[in-house]
Amino acid sequence: MDTPQPSPGAAAPDVPATGRRRVTTYFLGGTISMTGEGGHGAPPTLGADRLVAGPAAGPLVDVDLDAVDLAQVSSARITFDLLLEVLALARRAVDEGASGVVVVQGTDTLEETAYVLDLLWDRPEPLVLTGAMRRPSAPGADGPANLLAAITVAATPACRDLGVLVVLDDVVHAARRAHKAHPSATDAFRSSAPGPLGELLEGEVALLGTVLRLPALPTPATVDVHVDLLTALLGDDPRRYAGAAATADGLVVAGLGAGHVAPEVADVLAEAAARLPVVLVSRTGTGSVHRRTYGGAGSEVDLLDRGLLHGGRLAPLRARLLLTLLLAAGASRDEVAATVAAHASG
């Protein structure tokens, strides 16, 4: 796995706190761009020009906006290849002078999109993701406010060197902590401990903390590997794990509690770990897999002794994405183990 080399734009000087700034915004679709009424749902059809011409643009007197329609898809249709295209365009935008970049998309996969981009983002400028929980025609539509907040964050010099950010409901989340905790509430996005990075107050960003940025992963040319995510269950069937291990390039196991599976499942996972990387995390989504508290077949001690990788505080969805990108970039088994360990703090 080659170490990525910094681009000419990676060492750009700090953006002045005053003067005009430029923010490039890429629109991928989602609820924020949906039109139509009735009981059959609404497709994403509003374009970038319509979205930035509304209330979001009014207060931004010191920001020049470049709005680009990149796709009109629901978040379920976003692919790794589309994300690699977004990444390349965002890098080019900041290398050509943008103070920050905003990506607007559906919220269902936004936490995953944000984490993928955060793992690969190697620029100091803010890359901000946002969307909407209510379509434009709904009472109390939140899209304009979220878009305004995201652009404000992207244009704020104090938000440099924080990696990829998620901004909705006037709250600033680090991509590595953000998760969607409700299917439709306007405050659906929450941050795991230690909480959000900041908030927007009277149109300005108030940072409450920071985040440690790890080195960006190498960017794969494409993602043509398959990593399966398996959640341990009461009355589990080891055939699920055997079937997945037979076709996957890697596995993430979301174990019970502190990282446990049924004894029969442990035997299957031990065989799989001899052939491919298997990362152990907790299905709770918070807290860390243990190392030495519980013993016996299927305990965390047993699984780690049999070759599974300790995923620490990584949430299951994030562990799958991390392993996918590593394998897509050609990481060796040792490189996978070292990188998972580095990211295990969550």
Side-chain angles (χ1 to χ4, degrees), residues 74-134:
S74 67
S75 57
R77 294 177 58 193
I78 292 176
T79 64
F80 283 106
D81 285 342
L82 178 56
L83 294 183
L84 293 178
E85 181 182 359
V86 170
L87 178 71
L89 290 171
R91 285 171 171 164
R92 183 187 306 168
V94 298
D95 290 349
E96 293 177 351
S99 302
V101 173
V102 172
V103 177
V104 184
Q105 68 159 85
T107 59
D108 284 351
T109 58
L110 193 148
E111 66 181 280
E112 292 169 275
T113 298
Y115 188 64
V116 167
L117 293 173
D118 191 51
L119 290 173
L120 301 173
W121 186 240
D122 53 2
R123 304 293 196 270
E125 290 83 0
L127 176 54
V128 184
L129 275 74
T130 193
M133 304 306 301
R134 296 174 179 170

Side-chain angles (χ1 to χ4, degrees), residues 159-217:
C159 293
R160 289 166 61 87
D161 293 310
L162 295 178
V164 176
L165 304 171
V166 173
V167 177
L168 289 97
D169 201 38
D170 280 346
V171 180
V172 183
H173 307 272
R176 63 191 292 182
R177 302 175 191 162
H179 63 280
K180 188 174 182 179
H182 193 281
S184 57
T186 55
D187 65 343
F189 280 79
R190 317 286 167 80
S191 279
S192 57
L197 285 181
E199 62 185 0
L200 282 98
L201 182 63
E202 297 182 322
E204 297 183 357
V205 180
L207 290 177
L208 307 174
T210 188
V211 63
L212 175 65
R213 292 190 69 185
L214 296 171
L217 301 185

